[in-house]
Amino acid sequence: MDFELTEEQRLIQQTAKDFAEKQVAPAARIHDREGQWPGDLVAQMGALGFMGMSIPEQWGGAGSDALGYALAMEEVSAACASVGVIMSVNNSLVCDPIHKFGNEFQRKEILTQLASGKALGCFGLTEPSSGSDASSMDTVATQDGDHWNITGSKNWITNGPHADFIVVMAVTDRSKGSKGVTTFLVPTGTPGFSCQEPDEKMGIHGAHSCTVFFENCRVHDRYRLGDLGGGFRVAMTALDGGRIGIGCQALGIARAAYEKALAYSQERKAFGVPLSQKQAIQFKLADMATEIEAARLLLWQACSMKNRGVRHTQESAVAKLFASEMATRVTHQAMQVFGGYGYSKEYDMERHYRDARITEIYEGTSEIMRIVIAKSELAQ
Ligand code: CAA
């Protein structure tokens, strides 16, 4: 297997690194402290092609492959995990399913706006009383001629307070279980759509999420995304890509924490020598470097399968599970290297520690990842 990046992938990586270091990192602390939405950075990502990376240029995207997207996600998330998840949701959970399942109208009129960053999208699957058990939702869509009326609520909707469109899953035939779910693409300006104030969370403060409500939201059938009853498959297929994105977000967070711990260990002296000369610290650094590299290779494997058009449900789950739990371990150890300063708000370490934690929860908890992996292993 060849791990050499192509010239195009190296260019994406370098562009993302420059953007992340010069534009994203300097504002990360303030976005975190103030809970400020990084609207200017989202606009810049649109101009760079980062909001629809794997979408062909014809539909407003950058035409990159899955690995190019992974490289950019790692760089952006290393600078700011909030900006990383805003980018990931728009790419993986909004643009990709519209590209894969959308009709001509949706691709031409909606995808081009979303992929070019002129509009922002969000993804509505989770509900107040169903998260992991995603198909048991309450939101319903009832047909009225060539229109649908959608009623219900969705919560923890990342990008929700700022989105122009929502990809939403609703029950169209309750007797059919997961085969009675259909996906719709709803403009958030549709009468009956509303959202609450942003949620208060432990981390990723710059990435606003909220609860959204549909009260008889009426959309034409041309806004139906994919087949009638095919909505759960649309959601699961989107999440197969989304889990790569979140895995890369975790990888970026872990790398940022590790690089800071590595530098600090060489500056800070204890017992007359730099911390880096102590074997206890060297072992921590070695473990962190090894785990980061392992996560990256698992993520790249999932990207390689996605590029080949092969189903990668298991590989995405393996990569997301390992990368997110790795980010929790690495940020924990990196904080140990920093000691009390790591716990202080004067440094970025406590932000990385808080931001890492969500990657084990959203887009499928670690427990759900293990269910997906075990199911796939047992079916072989
Ligand atoms: N691709 C294609 N089809 C799939 C699929 C996939 N990845 N996963 C399941 N399916 C199909 C199955 O093949 C099955 O079809 P058949 O009946 O024809 O075989 C059908 O869908 C139902 O599948 P399951 O029986 O496996 O469904 P389940 O009810 O047992 O649920 C689950 C499976 C994996 C637990 C799923 O519910 C799940 O992934 N839950 C977690 C939800 C989640 O990740 N939520 C994240 C919300 S988004 C978010 O977090 C965004 C954000 O804020 C950043």
Side-chain angles (χ1 to χ4, degrees):
M1 193 185 276
D2 186 5
F3 294 111
E4 189 77 18
L5 298 181
T6 64
E7 205 177 310
E8 191 196 334
Q9 287 160 348
R10 277 203 306 273
L11 182 66
I12 291 172
Q13 188 180 41
Q14 194 54 52
T15 306
K17 196 174 177 57
D18 287 346
F19 169 68
E21 287 176 2
K22 292 186 186 131
Q23 309 294 332
V24 184
R29 223 178 277 177
I30 192 81
H31 287 135
D32 176 59
R33 294 252 172 94
E34 311 289 329
Q36 223 177 67
W37 172 256
D40 53 335
L41 296 174
V42 176
Q44 288 180 55
M45 288 199 291
L48 285 169
F50 287 1
M51 294 305 274
M53 292 205 67
S54 306
I55 305 302
E57 289 173 22
Q58 175 192 8
W59 307 115
S64 127
D65 64 1
L67 185 51
Y69 167 57
L71 295 168
M73 267 301 296
E74 179 184 335
E75 295 304 328
V76 170
S77 303
C80 177
S82 293
V83 179
V85 71
I86 295 166
M87 173 180 162
S88 180
V89 166
N90 199 71
N91 273 273
S92 305
L93 300 185
V94 180
C95 290
D96 281 1
I98 302 174
H99 181 231
K100 191 169 171 113
F101 297 100
N103 58 34
E104 193 65 12
F105 158 75
Q106 292 164 3
R107 288 175 165 201
K108 202 168 157 203
E109 302 297 327
I110 302 174
L111 181 58
T112 39
Q113 294 184 56
L114 290 161
S116 60
K118 293 192 178 81
L120 184 71
C122 63
F123 180 82
L125 177 64
T126 304
E127 297 193 354
S129 46
S130 68
S132 289
D133 185 8
S135 67
S136 75
M137 60 188 72
D138 290 329
T139 299
V140 291
T142 47
Q143 197 158 13
D144 174 15
D146 53 7
H147 281 73
W148 292 90
N149 291 320
I150 305 173
T151 295
S153 63
K154 299 281 174 180
N155 71 344
W156 302 119
I157 306 305
T158 305
N159 295 351
H162 307 276
D164 303 287
F165 295 94
I166 180 165
V167 170
V168 63
M169 274 50 72
V171 173
T172 45
D173 185 345
R174 198 161 295 282
S175 69
K176 292 188 175 154
S178 67
K179 296 227 169 11
V181 172
T182 303
T183 300
F184 298 89
L185 193 48
V186 178
T188 57
T190 306
F193 179 89
S194 62
C195 52
Q196 268 179 346
E197 287 298 298
D199 302 314
E200 289 192 26
K201 308 179 295 249
M202 172 181 174
I204 54 162
H205 291 156
H208 294 171
S209 65
C210 68
T211 301
V212 303
F213 300 96
F214 300 83
E215 283 174 53
N216 263 317
C217 260
R218 191 171 164 82
V219 289
H220 191 273
D221 189 55
R222 67 174 187 262
Y223 288 89
R224 171 165 50 82
L225 182 56
D227 294 336
L228 185 63
F232 192 66
R233 192 167 88 85
V234 173
M236 290 297 117
T237 308
L239 283 163
D240 284 346
R243 289 166 185 165
I244 297 178
I246 299 306
C248 292
Q249 183 198 24
L251 173 63
I253 296 168
R255 196 192 84 197
Y258 165 70
E259 285 174 352
K260 283 165 194 165
L262 181 71
Y264 183 77
S265 74
Q266 291 164 293
E267 290 156 15
R268 170 80 176 189
K269 287 194 173 157
F271 307 103
V273 292
L275 285 180
S276 59
Q277 288 189 24
K278 296 287 182 193
Q279 203 173 45
I281 300 297
Q282 289 176 358
F283 280 11
K284 284 190 196 301
L285 295 172
D287 285 347
M288 286 190 261
T290 304
E291 290 216 71
I292 288 169
E293 202 53 42
R296 187 177 288 117
L297 292 179
L298 287 173
L299 286 158
W300 286 15
Q301 172 181 251
C303 288
S304 151
M305 293 183 72
K306 187 165 192 274
N307 283 341
R308 282 183 277 131
V310 182
R311 184 162 166 183
H312 51 94
T313 304
Q314 182 177 1
E315 289 72 15
S316 288
V318 166
K320 197 244 180 205
L321 172 64
F322 185 80
S324 58
E325 294 194 343
M326 174 281 293
T328 296
R329 288 191 292 271
V330 165
T331 53
H332 180 106
Q333 290 303 334
M335 189 179 277
Q336 287 304 110
V337 174
F338 261 70
Y341 289 117
Y343 197 66
S344 157
K345 289 220 177 257
E346 251 182 84
Y347 293 87
D348 288 329
M349 198 54 77
E350 60 86 36
R351 171 170 60 89
H352 296 317
Y353 182 84
R354 285 184 285 108
D355 287 350
R357 196 62 185 80
I358 186 61
T359 66
E360 282 189 63
I361 297 171
Y362 57 22
E363 301 206 19
T365 61
S366 289
E367 292 71 22
I368 290 295
M369 294 306 95
R370 288 187 169 89
I371 288 173
V372 170
I373 296 161
K375 202 169 182 176
S376 168
E377 285 293 319
L378 291 165
Q380 282 169 12

